[in-house]
Amino acid sequence: MAKGDRQVNRKKCLVIAPIGEEGSKTRIRSDQILTHVLRSVLTKFGFDAIRADEIAEPGIISTQILERIVNDPLVIADLSEKNPNVYYELAVRHATRKPIIQLIQKGELLPFDVAGTRTIAFDHKDLDGVDDVKKQLARFIENAENASLDGHDSPISLALDLQSLRESSDPQKASLADV
């Protein structure tokens, strides 16, 4: 779907990713993943994917991005290249307890705090790998849409749950925190 062809009634999915300058290796990779992997799968699930550089509304871009991170029913984060903006935005999304799908370039390592979260690793230049990542992405989207309404676990949500148990006046709940 071309940038101008967005439909109003489609579900929104923000893609947080390293973007880089126009024409850079980072931008070329990010554009290829967005076009040939993410949009081709997300469209089948009724999502309209947008990346921060494609938001064409007047206003403060950081506010617009944060609103999308908090409100969109799905966020996909490309954790490749260890971009600090991507990790900041990932942390904000983790606090919402809403679905997030993590991707990373094959061969790159995840930082400790997010290494325990299922992440799709792939090489965007390997055509067989791209087909496989599309299948994995479709499964992740299906699971995210079918998951419990109680929220999605993240390092932040689990830490907050543990804190809540520790502070509980119910001795049974407080003892669970020690376990």
Side-chain angles (χ1 to χ4, degrees):
M1 177 184 308
K3 291 179 192 176
D5 294 340
R6 301 202 194 290
Q7 295 176 10
V8 176
N9 61 346
R10 296 177 62 81
K11 297 177 282 189
K12 295 179 180 180
C13 175
L14 180 67
V15 176
I16 55 178
I19 300 170
E21 296 297 320
E22 191 74 40
S24 68
K25 287 182 182 181
T26 297
R27 174 66 68 91
I28 292 167
R29 178 187 175 279
S30 191
D31 287 348
Q32 289 174 343
I33 290 168
L34 183 62
T35 302
H36 301 293
V37 177
L38 301 179
R39 283 198 173 122
S40 67
V41 176
L42 286 162
T43 308
K44 294 175 186 172
F45 288 89
F47 283 96
D48 182 15
I50 191 166
R51 199 175 54 199
D53 61 310
E54 298 176 330
I55 297 173
E57 302 162 13
I60 300 171
I61 191 156
S62 58
T63 302
Q64 293 168 339
I65 293 167
L66 288 170
E67 286 174 355
R68 297 288 304 256
I69 290 168
V70 170
N71 295 322
D72 282 8
L74 180 64
V75 168
I76 295 179
D78 182 351
L79 305 178
S80 304
E81 300 183 17
K82 293 187 172 49
N83 182 291
N85 291 334
V86 171
Y87 280 92
Y88 173 79
E89 293 163 3
L90 175 68
V92 172
R93 182 61 176 201
H94 278 170
T96 68
R97 295 192 87 138
K98 291 183 178 177
I100 187 157
I101 298 172
Q102 296 180 177
L103 307 172
I104 195 164
Q105 177 68 31
K106 192 173 275 185
E108 291 188 26
L109 299 175
L110 289 167
F112 174 80
D113 290 332
V114 294
T117 304
R118 292 197 188 278
T119 304
I120 300 171
F122 73 103
D123 179 358
H124 73 289
K125 294 182 180 180
D126 173 7
L127 294 180
D128 291 330
V130 168
D131 187 50
D132 182 54
V133 78
K134 285 181 175 182
K135 291 175 185 171
Q136 287 183 60
L137 183 60
R139 284 194 304 271
F140 275 54
I141 293 169
E142 284 174 355
N143 291 334
E145 289 196 310
N146 295 328
S148 161
L149 297 176
D150 295 337
H152 295 263
D153 289 333
S154 72
I156 293 173
S157 67
L158 293 175
L160 293 173
D161 289 347
L162 188 58
Q163 178 183 348
S164 177
L165 285 174
R166 283 189 183 123
E167 295 172 353
S168 174
S169 59
D170 179 346
Q172 194 172 22
K173 287 182 180 179
S175 66
L176 279 175
D178 293 334
V179 175

